[in-house]
Amino acid sequence: MAYVDYKTALQVDCSVQAAHDGVNRMTKALLEKDGVNWRQKLPPIPTVPVSAQTRWSIPSAQAPGANTPPATAPQGERAKVLKEEGNEFVKKGNHKKAVEKYSESLKLNKECATYTNRALCYLTMKQYKEAAQDCTEALKLDPKSVKALYRRAQALKELKDYKSSIADIKSLLKIEPKNTAALRLLQELNRA
């Protein structure tokens, strides 16, 4: 089942844009096919071992015990549900409610994509300082997150910190040289 594969891929590396797009696509398709209870018809999403999930991050002091307490599994599930509820609010244009859901989700599980999603809401609500902070948190989790770099550049531009904004866009373009949105933003910044 593709949805399960995409979700598994995201546990390993939350920066895989194709997997995010795939999850969104599958959610829509499954909703149309099975209605609101589509999740109950899914095969279980395999849990990726913590060792595979965290191989990019600096090993923390809790690392040795990280795979022992089973209490964290439902917490991760709850965080995922909250994040998806936040995504639904974004689709409806209710960014304030989405921020609440993302914030609850982040209390349970600090995830790169949840930070960049909340940053998008903050940008829409013209809360540029908060947007920039969320992107910085996302970049701590995934230094190559194109979304985090782009959204922080947008926020910094609005905060009139053009130098830092240009630096973020240049970092992004090293990862994705043909990113049209970033190239366009860089043109605007060079005129600012």
Side-chain angles (χ1 to χ4, degrees), residues 17 51-52 61 65 67 78 136 158:
Q17 189 52 45
S51 56
N67 47 13
R78 178 87 188 111
T136 301
E158 295 301 332

mmCIF file of all heavy atoms in Angstrom, residues 17 51-52 61 65 67 78 136 158:
data_model
loop_
_atom_site.group_PDB
_atom_site.id
_atom_site.type_symbol
_atom_site.label_atom_id
_atom_site.label_comp_id
_atom_site.label_asym_id
_atom_site.label_seq_id
_atom_site.Cartn_x
_atom_site.Cartn_y
_atom_site.Cartn_z
ATOM 1 N N GLN A 17 10.521 15.289 0.086
ATOM 2 C CA GLN A 17 9.333 15.993 -0.401
ATOM 3 C C GLN A 17 8.381 15.058 -1.142
ATOM 4 O O GLN A 17 7.175 15.125 -0.981
ATOM 5 C CB GLN A 17 9.773 17.156 -1.315
ATOM 6 C CG GLN A 17 8.636 18.088 -1.711
ATOM 7 C CD GLN A 17 7.830 18.614 -0.528
ATOM 8 O OE1 GLN A 17 8.374 19.025 0.468
ATOM 9 N NE2 GLN A 17 6.517 18.560 -0.617
ATOM 10 N N SER A 51 17.056 3.849 15.610
ATOM 11 C CA SER A 51 18.428 3.982 15.093
ATOM 12 C C SER A 51 18.417 4.488 13.647
ATOM 13 O O SER A 51 19.235 5.317 13.256
ATOM 14 C CB SER A 51 19.146 2.643 15.158
ATOM 15 O OG SER A 51 18.386 1.672 14.440
ATOM 16 N N ALA A 52 17.442 4.028 12.855
ATOM 17 C CA ALA A 52 17.374 4.462 11.459
ATOM 18 C C ALA A 52 16.834 5.885 11.373
ATOM 19 O O ALA A 52 17.254 6.672 10.541
ATOM 20 C CB ALA A 52 16.483 3.526 10.655
ATOM 21 N N ALA A 61 21.892 12.230 24.893
ATOM 22 C CA ALA A 61 22.200 11.516 26.128
ATOM 23 C C ALA A 61 21.215 10.369 26.350
ATOM 24 O O ALA A 61 21.546 9.360 26.943
ATOM 25 C CB ALA A 61 22.146 12.480 27.292
ATOM 26 N N GLY A 65 18.688 4.434 25.836
ATOM 27 C CA GLY A 65 17.391 3.937 26.279
ATOM 28 C C GLY A 65 16.269 4.267 25.311
ATOM 29 O O GLY A 65 15.118 3.944 25.556
ATOM 30 N N ASN A 67 15.172 3.146 22.549
ATOM 31 C CA ASN A 67 14.295 2.146 21.947
ATOM 32 C C ASN A 67 13.632 1.237 22.983
ATOM 33 O O ASN A 67 12.986 0.281 22.627
ATOM 34 C CB ASN A 67 15.048 1.302 20.906
ATOM 35 C CG ASN A 67 16.376 0.834 21.454
ATOM 36 O OD1 ASN A 67 16.607 0.934 22.657
ATOM 37 N ND2 ASN A 67 17.230 0.319 20.589
ATOM 38 N N ARG A 78 -0.291 9.982 18.276
ATOM 39 C CA ARG A 78 -1.133 11.138 18.630
ATOM 40 C C ARG A 78 -0.585 12.390 17.937
ATOM 41 O O ARG A 78 -1.351 13.200 17.399
ATOM 42 C CB ARG A 78 -1.133 11.303 20.161
ATOM 43 C CG ARG A 78 -1.921 12.484 20.672
ATOM 44 C CD ARG A 78 -3.386 12.151 20.879
ATOM 45 N NE ARG A 78 -4.122 13.357 21.194
ATOM 46 C CZ ARG A 78 -5.011 13.925 20.365
ATOM 47 N NH1 ARG A 78 -5.264 13.400 19.205
ATOM 48 N NH2 ARG A 78 -5.653 15.018 20.721
ATOM 49 N N THR A 136 13.949 27.786 11.978
ATOM 50 C CA THR A 136 15.251 27.525 12.611
ATOM 51 C C THR A 136 15.201 26.187 13.356
ATOM 52 O O THR A 136 16.130 25.388 13.263
ATOM 53 C CB THR A 136 15.620 28.687 13.565
ATOM 54 O OG1 THR A 136 15.659 29.896 12.793
ATOM 55 C CG2 THR A 136 16.967 28.467 14.232
ATOM 56 N N GLU A 158 10.396 39.783 5.171
ATOM 57 C CA GLU A 158 9.342 40.625 5.755
ATOM 58 C C GLU A 158 9.855 41.386 6.982
ATOM 59 O O GLU A 158 9.392 42.476 7.275
ATOM 60 C CB GLU A 158 8.111 39.788 6.131
ATOM 61 C CG GLU A 158 7.406 39.150 4.943
ATOM 62 C CD GLU A 158 6.908 40.140 3.899
ATOM 63 O OE1 GLU A 158 6.600 41.300 4.258
ATOM 64 O OE2 GLU A 158 6.846 39.757 2.711
#
